[in-house]
Amino acid sequence: MTENAKYNVAVLGATGAVGTKILQILEKKNFPIKELKVLASKRSAGKTIQFNGNDITIEEATPESFKGIDIALFSAGGSISKKLAPEAVKHGAVVVDNTSAYRMDPDVPLVVPEVNKEDIANHNGIIANPNCSTIQMVAALKPIKDSFGLNRVIVSTYQAVSGAGDAAISELKNQTAQFLNEEEMEANVLPVKSDEKHYPVAFNALPQIDVFSDNGYTLEEMKMINETKKIMHADELAVAATCVRLPVFTSHAESVYIEVDKENVTVEEIWKELKSAPGIKLQDNPAEQVYPTPLSAADKEDVFVGRVRRDLDNAKGFHLWIVSDNLVKGAALNTVQIAQAAVENNWLK
Ligand code: NAP
Ligand code: 3JM
């Protein structure tokens, strides 16, 4: 990095659940910004957003928005990324994309800096930020894989509504009030806004996140499966996922079963690796009821791991409970960390 270099940064989707967090984290990390452009839809154009104490006017995102931009952080949905990321790249920007639009493109690095930061160097203008559920899982599994090998992962998720945007957050609030007032709960957003049926999430658990694919898995489950193999450079790793939406506002939790390669690994050895891993905090003491929960992880930057225990039937099997704020490490923080790594290592080009 050139000493004291500053960059023109655009945030697309700046008014959304993810975009709002991205702006907070850029501020908190004192990202080297020369000029900041905040972009959203026509609906928001002309309104203002506060950044570092200044009012910044929101602009409608168009292909021309990216003229002179060095780094563009995208979180306005997959179709908008498909349309505007190539335009931003044409104008010379490096795009960090938070949607699923480019994640499995072989030409696009898919990065969790604690796991595969070096992949950023191979970008051709677009770097993809993984799905929130994938990020926290691979961050915790990386130190285990490095020390003991990893053959299989079976994960069940307990995901917060904020992963489905501001509309889903409002829906859980409204349904909760309706239920407590003994009114009928209205469901229009979850499990998937564009799908045929909608079910209340309040006081419920929905085993559908994103739409179904032909193999019986949802797209969210297929994202976890495919993205995990790509980020860990492990095509041979067996991964299965069941993704469930819960009436929780913030933080995804995951019950994860793993099979390591090495014989006779102990829980204490796994603890030791997790304790020294970047971005991971071990909270595991059953005797004192210590373990992470969605509320305890909310607004924190780390991925929290607890309940590490040996499987009772498979000597190479272990169970873990992994919790992290889905909008922080699961989305905005990881995006900003990718941009920071690109800047610090001179990987913007
Ligand atoms: P959200 O709260 O619904 O916000 C959507 C944002 O996109 C708003 O800023 C909205 O602007 C903007 N937008 C919508 N249509 C647009 C258009 N035609 N042109 C420009 N901007 C437009 O959703 P969110 O939860 O922040 O998620 C946004 C996207 O980020 C998702 O669709 C998903 O692809 C991605 N995401 C990724 C992760 C992850 O795990 N990495 C997690 C959650 C979401 P207005 O306010 O003007 O409508
Ligand atoms: C999280 O394209 C869209 O409408 C957004 C769908 C979406 C995604 C996605 O596929 O990009 C909503 C919430 C994600 C994600 O991170 O994969």
Side-chain angles (χ1 to χ4, degrees):
M1 175 176 59
T2 323
E3 207 54 34
N4 299 323
K6 291 199 170 187
Y7 303 88
N8 291 333
V9 175
V11 175
L12 169 58
T15 53
V18 176
T20 305
K21 276 278 182 226
I22 288 180
L23 292 174
Q24 285 170 13
I25 291 173
L26 288 171
E27 235 175 35
K28 181 172 159 198
K29 300 285 175 195
N30 210 3
F31 194 87
I33 296 176
K34 198 186 314 170
E35 261 182 57
L36 177 69
K37 201 176 247 201
V38 289
L39 303 169
S41 77
K42 206 189 282 183
R43 294 178 290 275
S44 307
K47 296 181 188 163
T48 59
I49 279 186
Q50 280 257 326
F51 187 80
N52 275 339
N54 300 315
D55 280 336
I56 304 191
T57 304
I58 301 165
E59 297 173 40
E60 180 188 356
T62 69
E64 304 317 309
S65 305
F66 301 96
K67 262 190 198 157
I69 294 296
D70 303 307
I71 301 169
L73 309 177
F74 273 44
S75 61
S79 59
I80 291 152
S81 289
K82 280 275 182 214
K83 201 168 92 192
L84 291 180
E87 300 293 336
V89 173
K90 261 190 232 160
H91 284 297
V94 170
V95 174
V96 184
D97 183 34
N98 236 308
T99 78
S100 58
Y102 295 99
R103 288 182 192 145
M104 295 313 296
D105 185 329
D107 212 31
V108 173
L110 179 65
V111 178
V112 177
E114 292 88 340
V115 181
N116 63 332
K117 185 167 83 177
E118 289 68 29
D119 287 352
I120 297 172
N122 302 323
H123 77 82
N124 291 307
I126 303 176
I127 305 157
N129 191 72
N131 180 264
C132 37
S133 303
T134 311
I135 292 174
Q136 65 184 66
M137 185 170 82
V138 297
L141 295 187
K142 158 83 173 167
I144 297 173
K145 179 172 182 288
D146 284 352
S147 298
F148 313 116
L150 192 61
N151 293 324
R152 169 176 277 276
V153 178
I154 302 174
V155 52
S156 297
T157 68
Y158 304 69
Q159 296 185 221
V161 294
S162 54
D166 283 333
I169 296 172
S170 301
E171 184 164 89
L172 174 57
K173 285 183 188 161
N174 293 337
Q175 288 172 352
T176 305
Q178 286 159 351
F179 184 89
L180 295 177
N181 289 321
E182 295 178 20
E183 294 164 10
E184 195 178 332
M185 291 192 279
E186 260 181 67
N188 304 305
V189 178
L190 292 172
V192 180
K193 191 165 182 358
S194 60
D195 217 340
E196 248 166 67
K197 292 184 181 170
H198 298 101
Y199 302 108
V201 71
F203 308 97
N204 208 357
L206 304 178
Q208 182 191 353
I209 300 185
D210 213 331
V211 295
F212 280 94
S213 55
D214 292 341
N215 66 5
Y217 287 75
T218 63
L219 284 194
E220 184 86 348
E221 291 159 355
M222 292 312 299
K223 288 173 199 173
M224 286 196 81
I225 292 165
N226 295 326
E227 293 175 19
T228 296
K229 294 175 202 233
K230 178 168 175 176
I231 298 162
M232 299 193 114
H233 297 274
D235 286 344
E236 68 297 343
L237 178 62
V239 187
T242 303
C243 292
V244 180
R245 187 80 69 190
L246 288 195
V248 163
F249 286 111
T250 307
S251 306
H252 294 345
E254 302 178 340
S255 169
V256 184
Y257 169 74
I258 58 169
E259 286 171 13
V260 297
D261 197 39
K262 201 172 158 214
E263 309 262 357
N264 302 318
V265 175
T266 64
V267 167
E268 290 71 20
E269 286 176 304
I270 292 180
W271 276 345
K272 183 165 173 274
E273 295 307 321
L274 290 170
K275 269 187 198 161
S276 60
I280 304 295
K281 281 233 161 69
L282 184 70
Q283 293 184 332
D284 196 0
N285 184 356
E288 298 191 13
Q289 288 179 281
V290 172
Y291 41 74
T293 67
L295 283 180
S296 68
D299 297 321
K300 308 262 166 53
E301 294 194 353
D302 298 290
V303 172
F304 298 91
V305 185
R307 303 292 324 276
V308 182
R309 62 210 188 276
R310 193 193 271 284
D311 189 73
L312 297 179
D313 297 300
N314 184 337
K316 291 182 173 182
F318 291 88
H319 299 266
L320 305 91
W321 174 247
I322 302 172
V323 188
S324 192
D325 187 318
N326 56 300
L327 294 179
V328 179
K329 183 58 183 171
L333 175 64
N334 200 68
T335 301
V336 173
Q337 286 172 330
I338 291 171
Q340 280 176 321
V343 162
E344 284 161 12
N345 294 281
N346 232 343
W347 288 330
L348 293 177
K349 53 179 182 241

